[in-house]
Amino acid sequence: MAERTPVQKTLRSSARFGLWGSFAVTTGLFLLLSPWVQRALNLGIDTEWSTFDFAAERSVQHLQALLRIDTTEQTGSELQAANYLADVVREAGIEPTVEALIEDRANFWAIIEGQSSEALVLHSHLDTDPIRQPDRWEFGPFSGEIEGPWIYGRGAFDMKSVASAQLEAFLRVREKIETTGEIPERSLILLATSSEETGSHLGAQWIVRMYPELVDRTWALLTEGGVVEATDRETIKYWGTAFAQKHFAEVWVCTRTRQRLEDLYEDLSTRGHLIDDLSLTEPAREFLRSYAPSREETSFARILSDPDSALENIEDFLFLPAYMQALFRDEIHAFPIEKDPGTQGFRMRLMVHLRPGQDLNRAMKRLLPEWMTHGLGMTVEGPFGAAASSPLDHPAYEGIQELLRERFETEATGPFFLTLYANDSRFFRGAGVPSYGFSPFLALATDAATINGPDERIALPAFVGGVDLYVELVDALLKR
């Protein structure tokens, strides 16, 4: 592996933020310190970051620029963000493609051709979740404000930080070619797609359907979906690379009266998730084999080490947190009731979460029986995406594990199974593409908790350290 860069050396300790920050500062200190120092100490953050000029970092500047572009479906423009990326790579000497679609939706890609046409794809999505509580933002949701060690804005976590790390990695490959004249063994594609937050109909699904030439040459794809857990700033608990997820069906129920949908919502809430058809798929078992040893709570570790006990003993199953219970069962989740734009009535979105290999019709009869929906209009789309997982013996996955274990001197790395939410990996896997969710950022749990909420943020030491890790990873994978 390459020697650490100066930025990595400077930020090594301050970038190693644990996901579980300590809260150990007294009230007296709060009264004496400025607000951002108070926050830093309150979260147990090393203050070495204060000597580093993050705003001068190119990757931070790109992140800030992207955060300042509103890419929400309601008021924003994905096209503006795609054009920004296009301007950056064009300035680096690469001609990009920007596909402008309806209502300012857009897709973007740029290619660095290697010795082989087989390509590593760095994928992100341009859109973000909406701004639901604008009055609760201390900084504007599109301000890109830097205060203390944090940068604020919608998409700081989901997923403009990853997009900025991918952009920097892409630019570094281009600069290395210009400096050394060496063409990488594998090609590199930077891909940013539309509408992930609303089903990816004009994004990943569109790319898979309309541009098979891009899909066919993909060796592996890196996107969002990985997890990083740490017990403190120096100790990694588990660094998970997402290789599998449930597949999903979208159900819309509609009626002329809001009360009928409120009744259905109440019925689903009262009934809760069913526990009469539990099972565990092989991808889930593969995940638990790696994940169980990282759990510190004795009973939790015991159950996950022997997951069949949760199938045989309902008390063991109910002991598990929701994201673990979801591995064992199909689920249905209701979204808020809204006005139906096509009628004078109302509608509600339901998402059916299916374990790999489960039949949608069978699941629907159990999760949404006819007595619940009598008299309602209903449409079902899906299931979307692949039920299969990405292989754990693929060189891209192996390369991620090797880098993490060497760089952070830990064995606490492995696969991760997404249970409670979906991302675009399911569409690429459905097209036969090995797809992996990887997050490079050792970021605080308190930062991760702001995803899609007021004052979404990421700590800049974690971000800049993560960018360097991503650059190193891409360089290594282009050689595998």
Side-chain angles (χ1 to χ4, degrees):
M1 292 291 180
E3 185 178 345
R4 290 189 179 92
T5 67
V7 171
Q8 287 174 313
K9 293 175 181 177
T10 301
L11 298 176
R12 179 165 173 77
S13 62
S14 58
R16 284 188 145 192
F17 291 172
L19 279 175
W20 316 111
S22 63
F23 294 86
V25 178
T26 66
T27 303
L29 283 174
F30 284 151
L31 299 175
L32 296 174
L33 300 169
S34 64
W36 55 261
V37 175
Q38 290 175 18
R39 293 177 188 168
L41 291 174
N42 188 42
L43 295 171
I45 297 175
D46 195 321
T47 55
E48 288 182 30
W49 56 265
S50 62
T51 64
F52 192 83
D53 184 9
F54 291 106
E57 285 290 300
R58 180 172 67 180
S59 60
V60 174
Q61 293 168 0
H62 289 315
L63 173 58
Q64 192 169 46
L66 288 172
L67 291 175
R68 288 172 173 168
I69 301 172
D70 177 359
T71 55
T72 63
E73 179 187 16
Q74 292 75 12
T75 60
S77 171
E78 295 173 357
L79 182 58
Q80 186 179 349
N83 284 334
Y84 176 82
L85 294 175
D87 289 342
V88 172
V89 300
R90 191 177 290 116
E91 186 176 344
I94 301 167
E95 190 56 37
T97 298
V98 173
E99 182 186 32
L101 302 167
I102 61 172
E103 298 176 345
D104 269 355
R105 299 297 182 98
N107 294 306
F108 158 92
W109 63 90
I111 303 174
I112 295 175
E113 296 291 352
Q115 298 177 42
S116 167
S117 63
E118 187 179 61
L120 171 66
V121 176
L122 310 179
H123 170 263
S124 64
H125 59 84
L126 294 164
D127 63 320
T128 66
D129 252 21
I131 311 301
R132 297 185 179 90
Q133 299 171 302
D135 56 325
R136 292 186 56 193
W137 285 75
E138 181 178 354
F139 307 101
F142 309 113
S143 66
E145 182 76 22
I146 295 175
E147 192 212 20
W150 290 285
I151 186 168
Y152 291 81
R154 173 57 81 239
F157 249 96
D158 185 16
M159 65 172 296
K160 291 179 179 180
S161 53
V162 175
S164 300
Q166 293 175 341
L167 175 61
E168 182 64 24
F170 189 82
L171 295 174
R172 296 276 192 97
V173 171
R174 173 64 176 175
E175 290 163 357
K176 186 176 181 180
I177 293 173
E178 291 182 332
T179 301
T180 66
E182 297 178 7
I183 305 299
E185 296 175 21
R186 184 169 285 111
S187 298
L188 182 64
I189 299 177
L190 185 65
L191 173 65
T193 58
S194 169
S195 59
E196 190 270 348
E197 303 291 356
T198 54
S200 302
H201 299 289
L202 294 176
Q205 292 196 67
W206 179 265
I207 293 294
V208 166
R209 184 168 64 254
M210 301 301 293
Y211 298 96
E213 67 276 13
L214 290 178
V215 175
D216 290 345
R217 67 182 296 189
T218 301
W219 170 72
L221 181 142
L222 302 185
T223 187
E224 64 181 341
V227 299
V228 187
E229 300 177 3
T231 54
D232 56 45
R233 290 171 293 177
E234 295 296 329
T235 307
I236 294 170
K237 188 175 180 181
Y238 193 76
W239 203 314
T241 300
F243 79 115
Q245 62 184 294
K246 289 185 170 181
H247 55 306
F248 298 78
E250 185 177 62
V251 180
W252 286 97
V253 288
C254 57
T255 184
R256 297 185 62 181
T257 62
R258 182 183 181 93
Q259 183 60 50
R260 180 65 183 87
L261 293 182
E262 290 178 351
D263 291 343
L264 174 58
Y265 191 97
E266 180 65 24
D267 287 340
L268 289 169
S269 299
T270 301
R271 192 182 193 213
H273 296 305
L274 303 181
I275 57 174
D276 62 341
D277 187 32
L278 305 180
S279 67
L280 203 60
T281 62
E282 185 54 34
R285 290 183 183 276
E286 286 184 298
F287 161 52
L288 292 179
R289 277 192 284 269
S290 292
Y291 191 65
S294 72
R295 302 302 89 187
E296 295 175 329
E297 206 284 327
T298 305
S299 296
F300 193 19
R302 175 187 63 79
I303 297 168
L304 296 187
S305 297
D306 179 21
D308 288 323
S309 69
L311 298 175
E312 299 164 358
N313 185 338
I314 194 61
E315 290 184 0
D316 279 355
F317 174 78
L318 294 176
F319 180 83
L320 297 175
Y323 77 100
M324 283 289 127
Q325 291 184 8
L327 284 172
F328 293 78
R329 65 186 176 196
D330 302 326
E331 297 180 349
I332 188 165
H333 295 263
F335 288 75
I337 299 167
E338 60 185 57
K339 284 276 192 180
D340 189 338
T343 70
Q344 297 298 311
F346 298 86
R347 67 179 186 174
M348 183 167 65
R349 182 188 187 205
L350 308 172
M351 291 298 294
V352 180
H353 297 199
L354 298 170
R355 290 162 293 172
Q358 298 302 300
D359 178 73
L360 174 60
N361 291 329
R362 178 177 179 273
M364 287 282 290
K365 289 178 181 178
R366 294 181 58 255
L367 300 174
L368 197 65
E370 187 176 351
W371 66 264
M372 278 191 178
T373 60
H374 183 73
L376 295 174
M378 185 167 64
T379 59
V380 181
E381 296 184 22
F384 298 112
S389 58
S390 295
L392 296 182
D393 60 354
H394 191 282
Y397 175 83
E398 292 174 342
I400 293 171
Q401 307 312 304
E402 289 174 12
L403 176 61
L404 292 176
R405 289 167 183 167
E406 179 172 331
R407 178 60 65 225
F408 295 98
E409 301 175 352
T410 181
E411 293 298 314
T413 72
F416 193 80
F417 191 117
L418 299 179
T419 57
L420 297 181
Y421 72 95
N423 62 30
D424 281 336
S425 280
R426 66 195 192 274
F427 304 120
F428 293 111
R429 289 191 189 113
V433 172
S435 181
Y436 302 95
F438 175 70
S439 174
F441 309 120
L442 268 168
L444 287 162
T446 46
D447 288 0
T450 67
I451 293 176
N452 302 331
D455 284 332
E456 184 175 351
R457 70 189 186 192
I458 187 170
L460 285 171
F463 171 73
V464 173
V467 169
D468 280 336
L469 179 65
Y470 213 101
V471 168
E472 189 173 349
L473 174 63
V474 169
D475 182 67
L477 294 185
L478 290 180
K479 300 173 183 176
R480 290 186 73 90

